[in-house]
Amino acid sequence: EGERALGIAATASGLGAIFGLVILVVSLPFLAAIALLFSPPDIFWLGLWGLATIAIVVRGNVLSGIIAAGLGLMLSFPGYSQITGGTRWVFNVPALLDGFRLVPAIIGLFAIGEMINLVSKGEKIADHNSKIGGSVWKGVKDVIHHKWVFLKSAAVGLVIGIIPGVGGTAANFIAYFQAARSSGDVDSFGTGDVRGLIASEASNDAKDGGGYIPTFGFGIPGSPAMVLFLGLLVIQGIPPGPFLLVDHFDIVLGTIVAALISNVLSSLMVLQFGGILAKITTVEPPLLAGVIVPITFVSSYLLNGSFWDVYVTLLFGVIGFLMLRVRMSRVPLLLGMVLGPIV
């Protein structure tokens, strides 16, 4: 019932995002006052706190998560040292003076790595016997019917989002297991119980409202998505940190409005075109990659008009693929790259 699943996802995600953003707006007056109290040593410990959350982010082998985070920290070393003014790990490569830019790295790590993995397996996302069915509007009714599951899961996502560096992965699983434990029917979860999808989708988007709190207030990414946001701020010459709320409050408000509009529009589009979108899972991987890969490389180039960013995207695409193959989480590596310069 792919269309029903998309209806649940669109509704729970859209309403969850609105829930998180409303809480964020209410907290902004207090957040600005608190942010001004933080000094460099406090920011340092916040950065370490973000790194420590790797233990929560990584499911299964925590050691592999620590290794990934260590690799991320190493990848944050190249470039100018903010303390000494000298260079680190540049190896006479001029392009490395600015280090590895975050956005091309993220594009490669997740988009390119995922495409290489999918094509190498040679399997469609959906099984060849799968039949796409259900109704998106039935999914909407599911969310309304299980409103208490939605509200509890959105609250879980908001709280998890506030913890720097944790993000959607932890929020999804914690909300999912919380919904399963409180359902009285744990065995039904994992077999198509709609409450599991409602819980993970509501928490996933509510966490963004919470994730903006440490991101705006302290310059510490509340989730991997916030990593991208911080990267965009840096690209525009806006230093992330406690003074963002004071010096660039218009950008903060603009971001909140943009997040609200984009979440509502994306949910409405999924509800409108759910039947078509569900069929993407039956497309052959080479055809998917043939569309996605060129777009990602063009996007990387257009960021700064530099072929170096294209090479960075390719490099991190290979890294992302290898990490998928050895079942190593890519999120800690990303956290290491973002929090490394802060620490």
Side-chain angles (χ1 to χ4, degrees):
E1 296 181 277
E3 292 183 36
R4 182 184 179 189
L6 284 172
I8 293 171
T11 307
S13 294
L15 294 177
I18 293 171
F19 176 88
L21 290 171
V22 168
I23 300 298
L24 170 63
V25 170
V26 172
S27 68
L28 279 179
F30 312 101
L31 190 61
I34 295 172
L36 291 174
L37 300 176
F38 277 74
S39 61
D42 304 318
I43 300 296
F44 167 78
W45 286 111
L46 277 171
L48 285 187
W49 181 21
L51 290 172
T53 57
I54 289 165
I56 302 174
V57 173
V58 180
R59 297 175 66 222
N61 192 345
V62 177
L63 179 60
S64 71
I66 294 173
I67 293 171
L71 178 60
L73 285 170
M74 292 171 66
L75 289 169
S76 75
F77 290 163
Y80 284 105
S81 168
Q82 297 180 8
I83 305 301
T84 65
T87 57
R88 290 184 303 230
W89 290 21
V90 175
F91 305 111
N92 295 320
V93 178
L96 277 178
L97 290 173
D98 292 328
F100 293 109
R101 294 191 179 97
L102 278 176
V103 179
I106 293 169
I107 292 173
L109 200 60
F110 291 96
I112 300 297
E114 203 71 52
M115 286 298 100
I116 297 174
N117 189 48
L118 200 61
V119 172
S120 67
K121 287 182 177 179
E123 301 173 355
K124 298 177 184 177
I125 297 172
D127 185 81
H128 67 280
N129 292 321
S130 299
K131 293 181 181 179
I132 307 301
S135 164
V136 290
W137 300 112
K138 189 175 182 181
V140 174
K141 293 177 182 176
D142 287 327
V143 177
I144 296 171
H145 179 69
H146 296 288
K147 55 183 176 295
W148 295 116
V149 174
F150 164 79
L151 288 171
K152 286 191 291 185
S153 301
V156 168
L158 182 72
V159 173
I160 296 298
I162 294 173
I163 302 174
V166 180
T169 304
N172 284 343
F173 286 108
I174 292 173
Y176 180 89
F177 291 127
Q178 184 269 340
R181 283 197 302 269
S182 61
S183 68
D185 187 18
V186 178
D187 293 336
S188 68
F189 280 69
T191 62
D193 194 314
V194 296
R195 291 172 293 181
L197 185 54
I198 293 170
S200 62
E201 289 296 326
S203 63
N204 184 63
D205 282 70
K207 70 98 176 47
D208 288 336
Y212 277 121
I213 293 176
T215 305
F216 284 148
F218 316 122
I220 304 295
S223 70
M226 295 300 112
V227 174
L228 180 60
F229 175 71
L230 287 181
L232 293 173
L233 284 180
V234 173
I235 289 171
Q236 297 301 323
I238 301 169
F243 292 100
L244 178 64
L245 283 168
V246 179
D247 299 333
H248 301 283
F249 192 69
D250 56 331
I251 291 177
V252 172
L253 287 180
T255 301
I256 294 172
V257 172
L260 178 62
I261 293 173
S262 64
N263 275 285
V264 171
L265 283 180
S266 61
S267 293
L268 290 175
M269 288 183 68
V270 171
L271 292 176
Q272 179 65 36
F273 302 109
I276 299 172
L277 293 171
K279 294 184 172 103
I280 292 176
T281 57
T282 63
V283 176
E284 293 286 349
L287 292 177
L288 270 182
V291 174
I292 294 173
V293 171
I295 290 174
T296 55
F297 281 127
V298 170
S299 301
S300 296
Y301 174 78
L302 290 177
L303 283 169
N304 298 286
S306 169
F307 278 107
W308 171 253
D309 289 338
V310 177
Y311 301 144
V312 170
T313 298
L314 179 60
L315 170 64
F316 278 84
V318 174
I319 293 173
F321 166 67
L322 294 175
M323 294 180 76
L324 280 169
R325 275 305 174 91
V326 298
R327 297 183 179 181
M328 181 180 286
S329 174
R330 292 163 291 175
V331 175
L333 183 144
L334 199 55
L335 288 178
M337 286 189 67
V338 172
L339 297 177
I342 295 172
V343 172

